Amino acid sequence: MAVLDIQITNSSLNISRRPRCLARRSTWISTGYLVAEIVVIPLTGYLGSVFGIRRYLIVNAVLFVIFSMLCGTATNLTQMILYRVGQGFTGGVMIRPPSRS
């Protein structure tokens, strides 16, 4: 799942081919996603125990799909970065789901 999420993020870099978008600014699409993902991975155990594992995973899966659809509707670089960060926060949970301990 982690590899698929990262590949999806890297495919969004096609937006950098637009004339108004600088290539170095478009790297924030991937960077924002990966940073958000790295931040949420260690928190999954705690948040899973606070909200309940099942509820936490279901909500994050739904939010991941919503952020994915929003990425498809992004009309500018700022929107794309914000949607990818949201996708990173919700996708990181699927990398390391909370344990039942």
Side-chain angles (χ1 to χ4, degrees):
M1 190 66 173
V3 174
L4 179 62
D5 290 344
I6 292 168
Q7 291 302 322
I8 290 169
T9 302
N10 289 335
S11 69
S12 70
L13 293 177
N14 289 335
I15 196 171
S16 66
R17 293 187 183 140
R18 293 184 181 173
R20 287 194 229 158
C21 182
L22 298 173
R24 87 172 168 250
R25 284 185 59 211
S26 66
T27 59
W28 279 104
I29 296 169
S30 182
T31 302
Y33 176 88
L34 292 172
V35 167
E37 191 175 62
I38 289 168
V39 166
V40 80
I41 289 172
L43 296 174
T44 57
Y46 172 73
L47 294 173
S49 66
V50 169
F51 298 113
I53 296 170
R54 176 185 279 180
R55 182 180 306 150
Y56 185 57
L57 288 175
I58 290 172
V59 167
N60 275 286
V62 169
L63 286 174
F64 183 81
V65 170
I66 290 170
F67 280 119
S68 296
M69 290 188 307
L70 287 172
C71 287
T73 65
T75 58
N76 59 39
L77 182 64
T78 304
Q79 285 180 345
M80 180 64 83
I81 292 170
L82 290 175
Y83 298 154
R84 290 293 176 191
V85 168
Q87 197 177 35
F89 276 120
T90 56
V93 174
M94 293 183 270
I95 291 176
R96 184 184 169 268
S99 60
R100 290 191 172 261
S101 56

